Amino acid sequence: GAVVSQHPSWVICKSGTSVKIECRSLDFQATTMFWYRQFPKQSLMLMATSNEGSKATYEQGVEKDKFLINHASLTLSTLTVTSAHPEDSSFYICSASIEGPNEQFFGPGTRLTVL
Amino acid sequence: GENVEQHPSTLSVQEGDSAVIKCTYSDSASNYFPWYKQELGKRPQLIIDIRSNVGEKKDQRIAVTLNKTAKHFSLHITETQPEDSAVYFCAFSRGFQKLVFGTGTRLLVSP
């Protein structure tokens, strides 16, 4: 149980284009989903927290107009990187939590490379 | 703000030795302390967690200890094996709030 998927697993795009990453909880309803970014040899940095049906809460320093998050249902959240640039190249990981425990279930991650 | 210090940043041990990683957190109201193992290019994998009402928890070769007074918690791996080689992250959270991750420890277990 508690499986989270992400799609795509990797994506290469040209600078200036937008990329959408999907995060799905496959066998449970996630009240909250989290989006992280991880640069090589660094820790996970939380970008934003999203709850179904409400606006995402972004961490300080994360541009909400550049990283659009939509949490349309209890099983799906999407992250859209708009006008991507090479410095946005990173490993993006989502996680989902069930109301109650603190435990988060992580997706397999999406490696974004912007040329 | 919230932060967590993790040490050491790298740890090399011989197979069969023990490994200890320590984290110090800032938020005294924190009540959940998980440890994650991350292999290259993979998702973080929860290996053990502890809540603030418990001082120690063990699962086979892995144990976690929590010292709330000193605000630090540690991961102990005994009888290390080469497949334990990975990056380990500590984290903490308060209530249902976000996890704050440590900086990571790269563990290398040599045969």
Side-chain angles (χ1 to χ4, degrees):
Chain A
V3 178
V4 176
S5 70
Q6 267 183 255
H7 178 81
S9 56
W10 60 270
V11 57
I12 301 173
C13 69
K14 293 182 178 180
S15 184
T17 60
S18 295
V19 174
K20 180 185 284 188
I21 303 170
E22 292 187 348
C23 177
R24 293 181 184 271
S25 55
L26 299 184
D27 52 1
F28 66 100
Q29 293 187 325
T31 54
T32 306
M33 287 186 170
F34 304 85
W35 286 95
Y36 296 86
R37 181 167 52 182
Q38 186 176 34
F39 292 109
K41 297 186 177 181
Q42 293 189 23
S43 186
L44 284 78
M45 297 302 296
L46 180 66
M47 299 175 67
T49 303
S50 73
N51 293 287
E52 183 261 342
S54 60
K55 290 184 178 181
T57 301
Y58 290 82
E59 293 299 300
Q60 191 173 7
V62 178
E63 301 174 57
K64 61 180 181 181
D65 294 331
K66 180 172 181 63
F67 299 99
L68 302 178
I69 292 173
N70 183 278
H71 194 157
S73 75
L74 287 172
T75 61
L76 173 64
S77 177
T78 60
L79 167 67
T80 301
V81 183
T82 62
S83 186
H85 291 286
E87 56 265 30
D88 298 323
S89 298
S90 187
F91 192 48
Y92 291 85
I93 309 174
C94 72
S95 71
S97 66
I98 305 170
E99 187 173 5
N102 306 77
E103 183 177 359
Q104 295 181 22
F105 303 96
F106 286 87
T110 297
R111 182 154 311 275
L112 170 64
T113 302
V114 184
L115 302 177
Chain B
E2 304 158 327
N3 63 79
V4 55
E5 296 181 7
Q6 184 171 344
H7 298 283
S9 56
T10 58
L11 180 58
S12 294
V13 300
Q14 290 293 121
E15 183 177 1
D17 289 349
S18 294
V20 181
I21 304 170
K22 181 178 176 179
C23 284
T24 304
Y25 59 97
S26 58
D27 185 354
S28 58
S30 301
N31 61 356
Y32 179 63
F33 307 88
W35 283 92
Y36 293 90
K37 175 184 180 182
Q38 188 181 31
E39 297 177 348
L40 188 63
K42 300 289 183 62
R43 77 185 84 194
Q45 175 189 0
L46 178 69
I47 56 172
I48 196 167
D49 57 10
I50 193 169
R51 300 188 186 275
S52 58
N53 58 346
V54 177
E56 183 174 357
K57 183 177 178 181
K58 188 174 182 179
D59 182 4
Q60 299 183 342
R61 297 186 297 110
I62 296 173
V64 56
T65 58
L66 172 64
N67 183 326
K68 288 190 294 182
T69 302
K71 290 192 286 188
H72 65 70
F73 56 112
S74 300
L75 176 70
H76 305 254
I77 305 175
T78 59
E79 300 173 34
T80 54
Q81 302 167 1
E83 50 265 39
D84 293 330
S85 298
V87 179
Y88 291 81
F89 293 100
C90 64
F92 72 90
S93 71
R94 170 164 53 98
F96 304 137
Q97 296 185 15
K98 62 187 181 184
L99 284 173
V100 177
F101 282 84
T103 49
T105 296
R106 188 171 300 276
L107 174 63
L108 176 62
V109 181
S110 302

